[in-house]
């Protein structure tokens, strides 16, 4: 039982007073000017800061199918240890970050609404959530520090009132516009062009009123006005409504554009005498409070048309129109996301032409690479997440495989199945197909990933399997349980109403089941033939016979002591396992001997596992020889003698040790594979 002092000690470790003081730094305008001259990045605009934030976490460049890609580490969510990580969307994220880069340099995309477009569950909202989280985190670092200001005003009663800038403006906007050009030229003189500081627009109405009143009081003495300025460190926070805003559509009857641009504070009208006095106005709309940062529009195309008008000016002119005030300048990234049906409505609506013209659409598709799709579910159902229930090997893989198959178009190339296409996309090699072939496949189906099953559906069905009665009883789930859940759910899937689509998805499930059977048979075969000593002996016997065959010699029979011709039956029984035809046997055997000779020249010893093809052939041959001795088919009948049971137990332990099964799932696999062999034998006897 921990003591109170121990709890307090833990708290002290996490609460850093020095860091708190840095986050709440205050100084004069002149202090801030010194700070900017030392580090001009403090005065970056919203797009510059967002782009620098992404680069702060580093990049990794790589090539995939002859296409150069950049992986931005930020989208792995290093802030929260991968909680919101985005997998497999590097191409789409590159397009998004390129927009940020162009906007940061003022090339025009800073005057556009960025619209993430894609099917449901394709990570659109996750990407925006990551961007907001990243900005909040970055603003707490020295590299991402930014500042705003407040007004110190002495009242008639002698008390001093502190009035914060309601829109968190950049302090350099206090410099009169006519002087800015020359001042910025001085600041930017030693900076590379793409890092130039740009201060645009006027102060918000409240600060503009305060500035003008003080300027009148001091007869135009700008320096004395600046003595009323307190510059403060600004930490972006969505929860505190500082620099990060989120707007979500509501019922049209309850929508009001003041939610975006602020509203009159009726209680203060009596104090200031007018509803057009900025001091009697709450600049707390989402576009107001998101100034200097980012504003997210959830399902932006479901907004009422009146709201979209506000977005037109906010994007193109960087201005908003609060009620009873002039156009007010803003500096923020506006990013929205939408699904396919809403976007099609936008395309067909002639009245929305102005909105379309101010929008940059970035497609965010589903994954079409199996390995990336698997990562999504491993994040939610990995060993660290699911406690007390064993997830059998390939359970997540098979669910992910089906999900990806639903997103692929049927290949047009003769002789290529959709499953082979999936494997090609995932980097597997298939004879007759090159990287150029894969690019052709991608080009002939450009909409792949924009349709199919959502990851959410897969997650829901895996969850259903985990809480099922069978899972609770066996403390284990397997691929068949999840595949059954996936199939049963199709009958009442809310987004699939087309019977033809349901039929196709069920056919793809059958393909996945067949692939899983092949994987199981292969693993059981490898587990049975995993006796390394037996493989080594078989390999030595094969190599000895091949050497004698290629050198036209005989082999001494260790039992009879006589020299005999090489064992052709043994050699062919191994070579046939990897489809070496009779006409190619001489070439293959010579290749093996040349390979052994090359290793010897390098001072290396030949081992059976150094040649992948031969290793596979030896495993299959040993499995064939061992299968009858183990009598795996007897598992199905339940009649197993003690000797056979001991051999089966050895295989089961190998499945547990080398392939990740537990006792229950290993037993299930052996029973299932035994039934496959039993079915095969019964068919052959008919």
């Amino acid at each position: 039982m921990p003591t109170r002092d121990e709890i307090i000690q833990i708290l002290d470790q996490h609460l850093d007073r020095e860091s708190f003081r840095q986050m709440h730094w205050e100084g004069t305008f002149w202090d801030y000017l010194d700070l900017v001259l030392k580090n001009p990045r403090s005065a970056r605009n919203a797009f510059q800061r967002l782009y620098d934030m992404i680069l702060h976490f580093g990049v990794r460049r790589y090539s995939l199918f002859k296409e150069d890609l950049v992986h931005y580490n930020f989208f792995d969510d290093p802030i929260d240890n991968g909680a919101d990580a985005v997998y497999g969307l590097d191409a789409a994220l590159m397009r998004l970050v390129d927009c940020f880069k162009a906007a940061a340099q003022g090339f025009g995309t800073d005057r556009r609404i960025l619209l993430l477009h894609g099917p449901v569950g394709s990570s659109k909202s996750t990407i925006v959530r990551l961007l907001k989280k990243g900005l909040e985190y970055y603003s707490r670092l020295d590299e991402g520090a930014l500042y705003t200001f407040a007004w110190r005003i002495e009242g008639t009663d002698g008390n001093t009132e502190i009035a914060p800038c309601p829109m968190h403006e950049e302090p350099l906007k206090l410099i009169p516009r006519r002087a800015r050009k020359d001042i910025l030229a001085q600041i930017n003189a030693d900076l590379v062009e793409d890092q130039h500081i740009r201060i645009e627009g006027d102060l918000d109405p409240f600060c503009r009123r305060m500035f003008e009143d003080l300027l009148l009081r001091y007869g135009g003495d700008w320096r004395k006005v600046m003595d009323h300025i307190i510059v403060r460190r600004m930490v972006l926070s969505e929860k505190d409504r500082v620099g990060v805003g989120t707007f979500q559509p509501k019922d049209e009857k309850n929508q009001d554009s003041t939610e975006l641009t602020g509203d009159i504070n009726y209680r203060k009208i009596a104090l200031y005498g007018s509803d057009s006095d900025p001091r009697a106005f709450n600049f707390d709309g989402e576009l107001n409070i998101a100034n200097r940062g980012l504003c997210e529009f959830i399902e932006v195309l479901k907004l009422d048309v009146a709201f979209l008008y506000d977005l037109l000016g906010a994007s193109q002119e960087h201005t908003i129109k609060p009620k009873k005030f002039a156009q007010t300048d803003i500096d923020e990234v506006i990013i929205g996301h939408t699904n396919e049906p809403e976007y099609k409505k936008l395309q067909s609506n002639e009245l929305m032409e102005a909105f379309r013209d101010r929008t940059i659409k970035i497609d965010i598709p589903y994954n079409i690479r199996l390995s990336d799709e698997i990562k999504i579910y491993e994040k939610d159902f990995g060993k660290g997440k699911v406690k007390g229930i064993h997830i059998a090997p390939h359970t997540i893989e098979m669910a992910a495989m089906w999900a990806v198959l639903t997103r692929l178009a049927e290949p047009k190339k003769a002789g290529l199945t959709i499953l082979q296409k999936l494997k090609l996309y995932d980097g597997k090699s298939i004879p007759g197909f090159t990287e150029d072939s894969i690019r052709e496949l991608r080009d002939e189906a450009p909409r792949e990933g924009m349709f199919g099953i959502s990851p959410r559906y897969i997650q829901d069905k895996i969850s259903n399997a985990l809480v099922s009665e069978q899972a609770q009883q066996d403390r284990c789930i397997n691929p068949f349980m999840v595949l059954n859940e996936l199939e049963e759910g199709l009958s009442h899937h809310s987004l699939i109403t087309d019977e033809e689509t349901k039929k196709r998805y069920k056919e793809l499930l059958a393909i996945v089941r067949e692939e899983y059977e092949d994987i199981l048979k292969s693993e059981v075969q490898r587990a049975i033939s995993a006796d390394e000593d037996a493989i080594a002996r078989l390999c030595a016997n094969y190599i000895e016979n091949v050497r004698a065959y290629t050198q036209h010699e005989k082999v001494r029979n260790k039992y009879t002591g006589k020299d005999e011709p090489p064992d052709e039956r043994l050699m062919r029984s191994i070579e046939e396992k990897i489809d070496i035809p009779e006409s190619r046997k001489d070439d293959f055997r010579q290749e093996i001997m040349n390979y052994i000779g090359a290793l010897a020249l390098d001072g290396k010893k030949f081992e059976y596992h150094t040649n992948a093809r031969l290793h596979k052939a030896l495993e299959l041959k040993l499995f064939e020889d061992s299968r009858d001795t183990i009598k795996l088919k007897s598992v199905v009948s339940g009649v197993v003698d003690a000797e056979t049971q001991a051999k089966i137990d050895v295989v089961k332990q190998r499945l547990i040790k080398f392939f990740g099964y537990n006792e229950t799932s290993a037993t299930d696999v052996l029973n299932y594979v035994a039934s496959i062999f039993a079915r095969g034998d019964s068919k052959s006897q008919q």
Side-chain angles (χ1 to χ4, degrees), residues 357-555:
D357 189 50
R358 289 166 171 81
T359 300
I360 296 178
K361 178 175 74 77
I362 298 169
D363 286 336
I364 307 295
Y366 291 136
N367 275 318
I368 56 172
R369 279 174 59 86
L370 177 60
S371 53
D372 291 322
E373 186 73 6
I374 289 171
K375 292 175 185 176
I376 295 174
Y377 310 124
E378 285 183 337
K379 181 176 69 175
D380 294 323
F381 304 105
K383 292 180 180 178
K385 292 281 188 178
V386 179
K387 306 289 186 182
I389 295 182
H390 176 75
I391 298 179
H394 311 296
T395 301
I396 289 175
E397 178 188 351
M398 292 302 105
M401 180 179 290
W402 178 69
V404 174
L405 285 174
T406 67
R407 303 164 189 169
L408 301 182
E410 286 289 340
K412 298 177 182 177
K413 290 185 179 292
L416 181 70
T417 67
I418 193 169
L419 183 62
Q420 289 175 317
K421 184 179 186 179
L422 175 144
K423 292 179 178 180
L424 282 172
Y425 281 4
D426 204 36
K428 304 294 189 297
S429 59
I430 293 178
F433 291 90
T434 64
E435 288 190 339
D436 289 332
S437 306
I438 297 169
R439 293 195 67 171
E440 289 174 14
L441 288 170
R442 298 283 294 270
D443 291 342
E444 74 181 20
R447 279 188 49 78
E448 283 183 328
M450 297 300 286
F451 55 84
I453 284 291
S454 160
R456 290 185 190 136
Y457 180 76
I458 306 295
Q459 290 163 332
D460 291 345
K461 299 311 169 186
I462 294 175
S463 297
N464 287 354
L466 284 168
V467 299
S468 67
E469 187 175 341
Q470 183 181 347
Q472 296 301 311
Q473 181 178 335
D474 297 341
R475 310 309 295 169
C476 176
I477 65 168
N478 60 49
F480 287 121
M481 293 168 65
V482 173
L483 293 175
N484 289 340
E485 285 284 349
L486 293 172
E487 184 167 8
E488 290 170 9
L490 288 175
S491 60
H492 49 266
H493 194 298
S494 59
L495 299 179
I496 305 175
T497 55
D498 180 19
E499 289 301 321
E500 193 63 33
T501 301
K502 290 181 182 179
K503 180 182 175 184
R504 177 174 176 267
Y505 286 177
K506 289 180 180 180
E507 290 170 352
L508 294 175
L509 278 167
I511 292 173
V512 173
R513 286 191 176 98
E514 187 176 335
E515 176 70 8
Y516 180 52
E517 284 188 2
D518 290 342
I519 291 171
L520 287 184
K521 286 189 287 186
S522 173
E523 287 187 342
V524 171
Q525 287 170 355
R526 288 162 62 192
I528 289 174
S529 58
D531 185 340
E532 294 190 6
D533 291 338
I535 293 180
R537 288 193 300 271
L538 181 62
C539 180
N541 196 5
Y542 174 75
I543 295 299
E544 184 180 7
N545 280 275
V546 167
R547 182 192 58 76
Y549 177 86
T550 56
Q551 296 181 10
H552 307 289
E553 297 177 354
K554 291 189 176 183
V555 179

Side-chain angles (χ1 to χ4, degrees), residues 47-157:
F47 276 103
Q48 289 172 322
R49 184 170 291 102
L50 181 60
Y51 179 62
D52 287 347
M53 179 273 292
I54 293 171
L55 294 187
H56 169 78
F57 294 92
V59 301
R60 174 172 56 83
R61 301 180 187 277
Y62 67 101
S63 179
L64 180 66
F65 308 136
K66 295 187 177 181
E67 181 182 3
D68 293 330
L69 296 173
V70 178
H71 175 78
Y72 292 96
N73 298 336
F74 166 71
F75 293 103
D76 296 330
D77 192 10
I79 299 169
D80 273 344
N81 297 315
D84 284 321
V86 177
Y87 301 108
L89 298 180
D90 284 346
L93 294 173
M94 277 177 61
R95 290 191 288 272
L96 176 62
V97 177
D98 283 347
C99 288
F100 294 149
K101 181 179 181 180
Q105 298 182 28
F107 291 158
T109 51
D110 55 325
R111 299 187 179 277
R112 301 291 180 269
I113 297 166
L114 298 176
L115 182 64
L116 305 186
H117 161 260
V120 294
S122 64
S123 300
K124 301 181 296 296
S125 57
T126 302
I127 290 168
V128 182
R129 185 165 64 248
L130 257 176
L131 293 172
K132 295 190 292 186
K133 184 196 300 184
L135 281 174
E136 291 179 351
Y137 173 84
Y138 190 59
S139 71
R140 292 179 171 274
L141 304 180
D142 290 342
E143 302 95 310
L146 70 161
Y147 300 83
T148 184
F149 62 89
W151 298 91
R152 184 193 295 111
I153 305 297
E154 292 82 14
T156 54
D157 57 359

Side-chain angles (χ1 to χ4, degrees), residues 46 137 184 226 255 284 394 411 457 551 643:
Y137 173 84
L184 289 177
M226 290 303 99
Q255 285 186 349
D284 59 356
H394 311 296
Y457 180 76
Q551 296 181 10
E643 183 183 354

Side-chain angles (χ1 to χ4, degrees), residues 155-203:
T156 54
D157 57 359
N159 292 325
T160 300
E161 180 185 352
I162 304 297
C165 171
M167 289 179 56
H168 325 298
E169 301 273 24
E170 161 61 47
L172 292 186
K173 287 181 79 170
L174 291 161
I175 298 173
R177 295 192 71 157
R178 57 184 176 274
R180 281 187 206 166
K181 183 178 179 181
D182 294 338
I183 290 172
L184 289 177
Q186 293 279 346
I187 295 174
N188 291 328
D190 297 327
L191 297 178
V192 294
E193 189 171 348
D194 62 354
Q195 292 183 1
H196 279 191
I197 300 304
R198 302 191 300 274
I199 307 299
E200 300 172 347
D202 290 315
L203 295 167

Side-chain angles (χ1 to χ4, degrees), residues 267-283:
R267 287 182 4 184
K268 290 187 177 181
I269 293 175
L271 181 62
Y272 296 110
S274 170
D275 61 359
S276 60
D277 190 311
R279 293 170 296 180
F281 193 89
N282 292 330
F283 293 92

